[in-house]
Amino acid sequence: MGNEYYKVLGLAKNASEKEIKIAFRKLARKYHPDVNQNDDELKNKFLKINEAYEVLSDKKTRRDYDEFGEKWKHAEQLRSMRTGFNNSASFDMHDLFSGMRNHNINDIFSFNSNRQKLKQKCDIFVTIEEIYAGTKKMINLSDSTKTSKNIEVTIPKGVREGQKLKLKIKNDIQIIVTVKIKKNKQFMINGENLIKTIRLPYIDMILGTEIKIDSYKGSFMLTIPKLTQNDQIFRIPNKGLPFYKENRHGNLLIKVTAELPNKIHEGEQEIYEKLKSK
């Protein structure tokens, strides 16, 4: 009944959980906002990819989506209605909705509860540190009576830019949180990888050296070999961002650039002239 999310990920409806994860990672790397910062169309495509993965990666929501398609969010109400129609074998959910196209879906189910479920959307800003450990954030909610109150929500580790989290606060309150990542002066984010640029004296890149690297998974020494080229990248595995709901990390990419002197000290001119003449 629902095929749109499968098409977004380029999958068949009988795709395995592993195939869904692989497809999402491939597409997320291609369309991630950090890679396509000036293309709003590709950013929207990434959000659609993330939405599809959120639904299909969860067994319950995937079952609801497979059964009810775009109306999967109302699965429980639909099942209740279906069993309430005298268990009739001829009952067709499509027939029910085809005659109600001009009605709001919430109005259709209003008889099922005296209180309408309150849904609110908000953005939450997190740091790279909070992506590693997970965090708790305070958000402000206002209900239909304009009563305002602060609620603490839990943000799991491994979230990504643009990811939407559905947080159930109470039976009648659901919050859809969109994750925004604060810019970091030391690191750039590319998918699950972190990129750090190090400026080194050009002589160290010619002769080689060792440098200390501070990462979110501890400090370590990195060997810079002789004749390292400008803008060369060193890949450090398992020191990047944590994957969402997985016990593994991406890579830390160290980009080395040459730092040239602003002036030449006494005696260096002669050395450079000798090197140039060789």
Side-chain angles (χ1 to χ4, degrees), residues 75 132 186 194 251:
Y132 267 87
Q186 296 188 55
L194 286 178
N251 302 314

Side-chain angles (χ1 to χ4, degrees), residues 268-278:
E268 291 181 336
Q269 179 75 33
E270 183 179 350
I271 296 174
Y272 289 137
E273 292 293 345
K274 288 181 179 179
L275 291 172
K276 183 179 178 180
S277 64
K278 288 185 178 181

Side-chain angles (χ1 to χ4, degrees), residues 90-103:
S90 62
F91 176 68
D92 189 339
M93 299 307 297
H94 175 75
D95 293 338
L96 170 65
F97 284 98
S98 63
M100 297 185 174
R101 288 179 181 146
N102 296 325
H103 294 273

Side-chain angles (χ1 to χ4, degrees), residues 180-231:
K180 304 288 186 180
I181 300 176
K182 295 180 181 178
K183 289 187 177 180
N184 187 286
K185 293 181 179 180
Q186 296 188 55
F187 297 92
M188 288 182 58
I189 298 175
N190 184 4
E192 65 273 11
N193 299 327
L194 286 178
I195 303 173
K196 183 181 180 72
T197 300
I198 303 290
R199 293 177 61 84
L200 287 179
Y202 73 98
I203 195 69
D204 285 341
M205 296 178 67
I206 294 172
L207 300 178
T209 187
E210 274 195 338
I211 57 175
K212 182 181 179 182
I213 302 293
D214 294 321
S215 78
Y216 289 99
K217 295 193 71 181
S219 301
F220 61 94
M221 300 302 294
L222 176 65
T223 299
I224 306 297
K226 295 179 181 179
L227 302 179
T228 292
Q229 299 301 300
N230 191 41
D231 291 338

